[in-house]
């Protein structure tokens, strides 16, 4: 009796023909109703993030995160106060990039409320709506912008000018992020097949100096698969 859709990375990667990792779903059912429904169907429900609308369901030995449609009520650059919604468009509008605001039903039909599919197929990474606003909601999105471009962007096109400018103008916000969040994003960026263009762009935007002070992007990028050979001070920064 409720709507449930695959969303985000699993849809993005499936459309690109790449490996799918996490299986995330979005629904108009409230979290408590999700728990009752999945348990009645014989699956195990774990309230991993139920305060934020997320229930993890184990099915076929795989975890699936099911999150109720949400809209942001208040953000502070790191955390968000959300309210539940039954409107798919509101849920899509709070996501970071257009290529991550793609949904698919059980038959594989893609639902694209924000025009993210053309961006994905062109490997064009754009923020949803105003880039400055998206970043001010969560400054981690600056690092995610460079990381996602390294993995999914078209290097021949270059980076979205608005997104790059916003990342440079708001780079100071990275200082308020935890080392754990920064380290996780940087490790994922450096795991890209060719992180060098993204790392160079981070340096030019003044972001790299805030993450790894004193680092040289020309030396950093070749160490992508040689993490153990990084200078100790860089390893500590990424730890």
């Amino acid at each position: 009796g409720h709507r449930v859709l695959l969303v985000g990375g699993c849809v993005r990667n499936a459309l690109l023909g790449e490996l799918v990792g996490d299986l995330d779903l979005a629904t108009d059912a409230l979290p408590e109703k999700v728990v009752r429904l999945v348990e009645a169907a014989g699956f195990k429900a774990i309230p991993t993030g139920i305060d934020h609308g997320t229930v993890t369901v184990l099915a076929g030995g795989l975890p699936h995160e099911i999150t109720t449609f949400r809209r942001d009520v208040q953000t502070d650059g790191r955390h968000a106060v959300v309210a539940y919604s039954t409107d798919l468009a509101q849920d899509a509008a709070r996501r970071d990039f257009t290529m991550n605001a793609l949904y698919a039903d059980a038959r594989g039909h893609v639902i694209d409320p924000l025009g993210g599919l053309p961006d994905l197929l062109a490997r064009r990474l754009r923020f949803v709506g105003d880039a400055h606003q998206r970043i001010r909601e969560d400054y981690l999105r600056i690092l995610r912008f460079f990381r996602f471009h390294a993995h999914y962007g078209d290097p021949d096109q270059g980076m979205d000018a608005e997104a790059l400018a916003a990342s440079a103008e708001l780079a100071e916000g990275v200082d308020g992020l935890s080392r754990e969040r920064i380290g996780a994003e940087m490790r994922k960026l450096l795991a890209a097949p060719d992180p060098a263009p993204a790392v160079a762009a981070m340096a030019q935007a003044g972001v790299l100096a805030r993450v790894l002070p004193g680092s040289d992007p020309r030396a950093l990028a070749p160490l992508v698969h040689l993490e153990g050979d990084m200078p100790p001070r860089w390893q500590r920064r990424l730890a």
Side-chain angles (χ1 to χ4, degrees), residues 25-43:
L25 299 101
T27 181
D28 58 3
L30 294 175
E32 295 78 8
K33 186 66 175 293
V34 172
V35 171
R36 291 199 298 271
L37 287 171
V38 298
E39 288 182 344
F43 300 112

Side-chain angles (χ1 to χ4, degrees), residues 92-140:
R94 70 179 300 275
R95 297 184 181 272
D96 50 9
F97 307 113
T98 58
M99 65 170 59
N100 288 341
L102 295 170
Y103 302 75
D105 64 19
R107 296 182 178 180
H109 296 150
V110 175
I111 301 167
D112 179 16
L114 301 178
L117 185 56
D119 285 341
L120 175 66
L121 298 180
R123 291 188 175 267
R124 183 172 52 242
L125 186 66
R126 291 192 306 117
F127 279 101
V128 170
D130 181 72
H132 290 78
Q133 180 180 344
R134 291 284 85 77
I135 289 173
R136 289 191 181 99
E137 290 168 353
D138 185 353
Y139 288 103
L140 188 69

Side-chain angles (χ1 to χ4, degrees), residues 193-239:
D194 181 12
V199 172
M202 285 182 70
Q204 293 171 358
V207 175
L208 186 62
R210 294 186 175 277
V211 176
L212 293 171
S215 60
D216 184 339
R218 294 170 298 178
L220 181 60
L223 297 177
V224 57
H225 299 301
L226 300 173
E227 184 180 312
D229 293 336
M230 286 184 183
R233 61 193 177 93
W234 290 2
Q235 291 191 46
R236 288 195 296 271
R237 282 278 179 171
L238 293 176

